Amino acid sequence: MSWAPSPDIAYLLSLQAVRDRSQIVLKAAREGRLHNFEYDEKRMTAVADFVISVIERDFGPDRFSSIPPHGRWQHFEVGDVPRVKSLLDQWTKDGCDKMELTRRLVDLFFVSVLLDAGAGDTWRFVEPGSGQVYNRSEGIAVASLYMFTSGEFSEENGAPKVDAAGLVNLTDETFSKGFQIAPENPLIGVSPRVTLLNSVGKSLLRLQDIVGPTGRPGNLVDYLTKLSGDANTIDYEVLWSTLQQILVPSWPADRTRIEDFPIGDAWPLKVLSTEAKGGREVDTIQPFHKLTQWLGYSLMVPFVRILGFEVINAQLGTGLPEYRNGGLFVDLGALKLKPEVAKAHTTSGQDLPAFPATSDTIVEWRALTVALLDELHKPISAHFKKLGVELSMAQMLEAGTWKGGRELAAKFRPHSKSSPILILGDGTLF
């Protein structure tokens, strides 16, 4: 497809639209006009206090400056194993300079993030050598790392890199072997995940001016550093628009289209339709672009840590609308499903309500999650500012809301550790 979005489409693909539209939903929540949820704003103080307690427990009293931004890097270090450092040390011994080190990390993070949608409650990955068992996001990270270092994402046999041909030719069989898939160890959405990477490979081949003739994601390093000139800065808006250009044509074909143009992780929402003036379809869409945002946050880190670059406009990134952040607000009582909605979607023998990932209920929940994370960041950043700490949204997500949401899930649902609302997805959304 040619990349020529109309102004309306370009807006829906922007980070600003994610935030703007979520604020419309929050206004409706405050006025009691939601379709699926009830909002108790008084509970937000308790949510802020809980998140602050998690951050202070893990980084207080004097390590707040060491809080990393939310990103994929930390997931590779699960079990306190410095896997990324070990890779960097080995690649340095092999003669890689800092540019190539950054390219390789961008390659790794690129595929690992795109595979990082919900794994389900049962899948596990047993790490070769150590025998350690990991699941969910960290398990996907470690499994993808081993596939990467084995060269499964490149047409160069055994090369620790990613290229378009490697992604286009990836098969369910190769992926299943790398992720240890078996009848007793199922992962949600094996074929959709593989198909997504196949499609991304085709998209990369069409963008050789950005990623080079082999369609290597790591060549984004050269593209972005050239644009920065001598400034040693990465503009997050430029990174964002570049990632959208690569990924928007790659998402599953059944996703929302406006004017026959794909708009990625963006969905019709009834409450926006109610609020829309003029009846335009474009005004009824709530965009999220969660995996792309997760990728953007993750790719910034190697530029900073390896190349010493500064990232500008990073504050444009929003809170991530996924089930750990969203579950935090449900488990602490700020959000509650309307009783009739919960009852209609809780089947016999099932304790928790379940909804398709693109249903109006889940889209409304995700929009509220984005808006409430913005609201939450205000008192939390103010609290830490009094301590002389500037806490970014990305740091709050990493050290507070995502971690806190996971801990609450383990506390309230120790068997499954699932979110309080079940999401029926295909492994390519969030």
Side-chain angles (χ1 to χ4, degrees):
M1 59 172 283
S2 61
W3 188 256
S6 69
D8 280 340
I9 301 300
Y11 174 69
L12 288 177
L13 295 176
S14 72
L15 290 163
Q16 189 62 47
V18 178
R19 182 165 273 125
D20 289 349
R21 294 288 167 86
S22 76
Q23 289 297 318
I24 297 173
V25 179
L26 179 59
K27 182 175 184 292
R30 285 173 168 151
E31 296 171 358
R33 293 185 286 103
L34 295 175
H35 291 257
N36 303 282
F37 284 87
E38 297 169 349
Y39 173 46
D40 185 351
E41 192 160 15
K42 294 178 181 178
R43 293 294 303 163
M44 288 296 287
T45 298
V47 177
D49 289 343
F50 172 75
V51 173
I52 288 169
S53 73
V54 171
I55 296 172
E56 291 186 333
R57 179 197 68 196
D58 294 342
F59 292 93
D62 56 2
R63 296 193 305 114
F64 298 119
S65 62
S66 69
I67 297 175
H70 201 40
R72 197 59 164 152
W73 191 307
Q74 289 83 252
H75 290 177
F76 293 112
E77 315 286 60
V78 62
D80 293 324
V81 179
R83 296 178 185 85
V84 175
K85 182 179 185 302
S86 296
L87 287 177
L88 292 172
D89 289 345
Q90 182 58 54
W91 293 338
T92 300
K93 289 179 182 177
D94 294 341
C96 295
D97 61 13
K98 287 186 176 182
M99 285 288 286
E100 179 59 19
L101 294 178
T102 308
R103 290 187 199 103
R104 291 189 180 192
L105 288 186
V106 168
D107 279 343
L108 171 60
F109 292 5
F110 197 90
V111 290
S112 188
V113 166
L114 292 179
L115 292 171
D116 187 31
D121 296 335
T122 59
W123 176 78
R124 302 289 185 272
F125 181 78
V126 181
E127 185 173 19
S130 73
Q132 292 297 308
V133 179
Y134 303 111
N135 64 354
R136 299 189 182 274
S137 196
E138 291 90 346
I140 291 175
V142 177
S144 62
L145 183 148
Y146 277 88
M147 287 190 69
F148 172 77
T149 56
S150 298
E152 300 290 0
F153 301 119
S154 173
E155 72 171 340
E156 296 182 37
N157 291 334
K161 60 175 64 174
V162 177
D163 55 48
L167 296 182
V168 169
N169 295 323
L170 183 68
T171 64
D172 286 13
E173 181 181 7
T174 298
F175 178 84
S176 295
K177 181 179 178 181
F179 271 64
Q180 303 173 354
I181 308 299
E184 66 278 7
N185 190 38
L187 176 76
I188 291 174
V190 169
S191 291
R193 292 175 205 260
V194 172
T195 299
L196 172 60
L197 290 188
N198 297 155
S199 297
V200 170
K202 294 173 185 175
S203 182
L204 290 167
L205 281 175
R206 293 191 292 266
L207 296 169
Q208 295 185 18
D209 57 324
I210 296 174
V211 290
T214 64
R216 181 185 182 185
N219 286 334
L220 282 167
V221 177
D222 304 84
Y223 176 76
L224 293 171
T225 54
K226 183 178 180 180
L227 289 178
S228 75
D230 297 327
N232 287 346
T233 60
I234 294 296
D235 188 334
Y236 193 65
E237 278 197 285
V238 175
L239 172 60
W240 177 255
S241 63
T242 305
L243 292 177
Q244 287 287 62
Q245 192 172 347
I246 294 169
L247 295 177
V248 164
S250 307
W251 300 118
D254 60 354
R255 295 205 178 171
T256 310
R257 300 176 77 91
I258 300 290
E259 303 167 6
D260 200 35
F261 197 98
I263 55 173
D265 180 13
W267 310 95
L269 182 58
K270 287 180 182 177
V271 69
L272 287 179
S273 181
T274 302
E275 301 297 310
K277 303 295 188 292
R280 299 193 313 153
E281 183 184 14
V282 70
D283 295 327
T284 70
I285 302 297
Q286 171 65 59
F288 300 111
H289 312 302
K290 184 267 175 178
L291 273 181
T292 310
Q293 289 216 62
W294 180 217
L295 182 57
Y297 278 134
S298 297
L299 294 189
M300 286 192 294
V301 180
F303 282 94
V304 174
R305 292 187 184 176
I306 307 299
L307 296 180
F309 276 41
E310 177 186 357
V311 179
I312 60 174
N313 292 318
Q315 78 282 355
L316 296 175
T318 74
L320 298 185
E322 47 77 51
Y323 64 90
R324 292 306 185 203
N325 290 323
L328 174 82
F329 298 109
V330 175
D331 279 333
L332 292 180
L335 293 177
K336 182 180 179 180
L337 275 173
K338 292 186 175 183
E340 65 273 20
V341 175
K343 182 178 179 180
H345 290 84
T346 305
T347 60
S348 177
Q350 180 178 305
D351 295 329
L352 300 172
F355 302 84
T358 60
S359 66
D360 192 68
T361 301
I362 299 302
V363 175
E364 188 175 280
W365 184 25
R366 297 178 74 198
L368 289 164
T369 298
V370 172
L372 292 181
L373 286 168
D374 272 341
E375 294 302 300
L376 192 63
H377 187 234
K378 296 172 187 176
I380 291 178
S381 61
H383 171 87
F384 285 103
K385 192 168 186 177
K386 293 177 183 177
L387 303 177
V389 178
E390 294 289 341
L391 192 78
S392 69
M393 169 69 79
Q395 289 175 306
M396 184 188 78
L397 296 175
E398 177 65 25
T401 59
W402 189 86
K403 182 186 290 185
R406 171 178 274 191
E407 291 183 6
L408 290 171
K411 175 183 177 181
F412 294 132
R413 293 167 295 281
H415 177 68
S416 67
K417 301 179 177 63
S418 71
S419 63
I421 300 169
L422 300 180
I423 302 166
L424 308 175
D426 67 355
T428 67
L429 192 54
F430 65 97

